[in-house]
Amino acid sequence: MDCPIPQSELDEIYTFAIDLARKAGNLLLERLNERNSEQVYTEKENAVDLVTQTDEDVETLIKKAIQNKYPAHNFIGEETYAKGSSREYLIDEKPTWCVDPLDGTVNFTHAFPMFCVSLSLIVSHRPVIGVIYAPMLSQLFSSCLNRGAWLNESVRLPLIRNPSIPPMPANAPGKCILACEWGKDRRDVPGGNLERKIESFSTLAMERNARGGLGGMVHGVRSLGSATLDLAYTALGSVDVWWEGGCWEWDVAAGIAILLEAGGLVTTANPPEDIEGPIEDVRLGSRLYLAIRPAGPSATETGRQTQERTVREVWKRVKQLDYSRPGA
């Protein structure tokens, strides 16, 4: 990808983003230590769609720092966006910061460690910088275009190299770890997104001869409660496949930046009419995501071919999800 921002300037922004993520994460930890059983939070749309004062305070800290340092850059934060009336995709060609000040708010309110701050710089609709900091785990995932993807600034991703990055399993999604999320839409609607998700999870988990031979027999199903961290662990190589619908761009932008720089693949969650056709790149605002970990070559395929084979095998086993939105 050609980026209109010079690499030297990108490198400076990357350093700034890492420092800012650490500061924001430290504020999350401070607030976690101050929490009590009566911690105040607000429900947005339902009982699992929460916002705390911490979400808003951390976003304010991040937004002020970015506006002071890069006043010409646009800014989209989850809490700012959530308070608006529009649900349109607002990112354009300009350099835009896409921020989730606290991904995994429900986890945070329960002191479950899978929560993080997520920062991404998007240029021409492509995330070129991504930083994810999970302060309770002391894990910082980061990437900058053409600079690789890293854990704690010292370990290059993907982590699994023995001695080379393994290909996707020959019978993928079999022998894979699948990450997925229940989502915030819990309406009991026949044929709705929740029902379609549950059926897809089940098909991917079932034994091979189940459902007319569509059983995926994945090794395990994981739900971390944070889409951002799902993507980070896919970049790490700990998760093989992530399938999800319903996330917004701030939930995924940093994770996509990191995963792509690590060598992963990201496309749409929904199977196209022609499953054997070209696999399109993910559309950031689509709310539909299928991610595959970095993969090396096998004796008969390139690494990319093993990833694409896995995408098609997942598509055969999942239901179409409906998360349309204007402008995306």
Side-chain angles (χ1 to χ4, degrees):
M1 171 193 172
D2 293 327
C3 180
I5 299 178
Q7 189 68 53
S8 59
E9 185 177 344
L10 273 183
D11 292 344
E12 292 177 1
I13 298 171
Y14 180 45
T15 300
F16 165 81
I18 288 175
D19 179 66
L20 181 56
R22 289 193 182 278
K23 290 176 179 175
N26 289 339
L27 179 55
L28 289 180
L29 274 188
E30 289 177 15
R31 294 297 176 83
L32 183 72
N33 292 331
E34 295 169 0
R35 67 187 286 278
N36 56 56
S37 59
E38 301 300 321
Q39 181 174 3
V40 176
Y41 60 82
T42 302
E43 295 178 3
K44 297 180 189 175
E45 296 184 11
N46 58 43
V48 294
D49 193 5
L50 308 181
V51 59
T52 68
Q53 187 63 46
T54 299
D55 294 71
E56 297 182 342
D57 290 348
V58 173
E59 182 167 312
T60 297
L61 180 152
I62 294 169
K63 185 176 182 179
K64 285 182 177 178
I66 290 172
Q67 289 178 334
N68 287 337
K69 183 74 173 178
Y70 300 105
H73 291 184
N74 291 343
F75 179 91
I76 294 178
E78 178 180 15
E79 303 315 323
T80 306
Y81 183 96
K83 290 179 179 178
S85 58
S86 171
R87 287 295 173 264
E88 291 190 1
Y89 179 65
L90 301 178
I91 294 171
D92 56 24
E93 300 294 322
K94 299 176 184 176
T96 301
W97 290 86
C98 195
V99 171
D100 193 339
L102 174 49
D103 190 57
T105 301
V106 172
N107 290 344
F108 177 82
T109 62
H110 291 271
F112 186 71
M114 295 296 176
F115 62 85
C116 62
V117 57
S118 176
L119 311 177
S120 179
L121 179 67
I122 300 167
V123 181
S124 300
H125 299 282
R126 159 104 187 225
V128 296
I129 289 174
V131 183
I132 298 167
Y133 182 42
M136 201 169 176
L137 302 171
S138 298
Q139 290 183 326
L140 186 140
F141 300 87
S142 64
S143 72
C144 178
L145 186 68
N146 301 320
R147 295 292 189 246
W150 302 86
L151 172 62
N152 292 335
E153 301 182 78
S154 60
V155 179
R156 187 152 195 159
L157 304 183
L159 185 62
I160 302 172
R161 301 170 185 269
N162 51 358
S164 59
I165 302 169
M168 297 301 295
N171 63 342
K175 298 184 178 179
C176 289
I177 290 289
L178 167 72
C180 54
E181 298 294 339
W182 295 89
K184 295 170 182 175
D185 183 357
R186 304 296 178 84
R187 292 172 297 172
D188 184 15
V189 179
N193 283 320
L194 182 60
E195 184 176 283
R196 295 180 195 185
K197 280 188 171 186
I198 292 169
E199 185 173 348
S200 300
F201 301 164
S202 298
T203 301
L204 287 164
M206 283 183 180
E207 60 184 340
R208 280 285 179 181
N209 62 358
R211 296 188 176 171
L214 288 180
M217 197 63 184
V218 297
H219 268 175
V221 180
R222 305 288 181 261
S223 181
L224 303 181
S226 165
T228 310
L229 287 173
D230 287 335
L231 282 162
Y233 286 116
T234 306
L236 191 69
S238 302
V239 167
D240 299 289
V241 177
W242 179 63
W243 181 77
E244 171 65 338
C247 295
W248 302 92
E249 44 270 26
W250 48 82
D251 295 312
V252 299
I256 288 174
I258 293 166
L259 180 58
L260 292 178
E261 194 66 19
L265 183 157
V266 191
T267 186
T268 180
N270 277 351
E273 289 187 13
D274 181 10
I275 287 180
E276 298 303 323
I279 292 176
E280 296 183 356
D281 291 337
V282 66
R283 289 186 296 114
L284 187 59
S286 67
R287 307 189 71 200
L288 297 163
Y289 311 101
L290 172 57
I292 309 296
R293 69 160 169 82
S298 68
T300 58
E301 297 175 298
T302 66
R304 175 74 181 197
Q305 286 171 332
T306 74
Q307 292 172 323
E308 292 189 356
R309 169 172 48 78
T310 303
V311 166
R312 294 188 173 100
E313 291 300 321
V314 172
W315 277 341
K316 291 176 185 177
R317 293 165 169 83
V318 297
K319 297 293 184 181
Q320 291 270 348
L321 301 174
D322 180 14
Y323 289 102
S324 58
R325 68 186 295 204

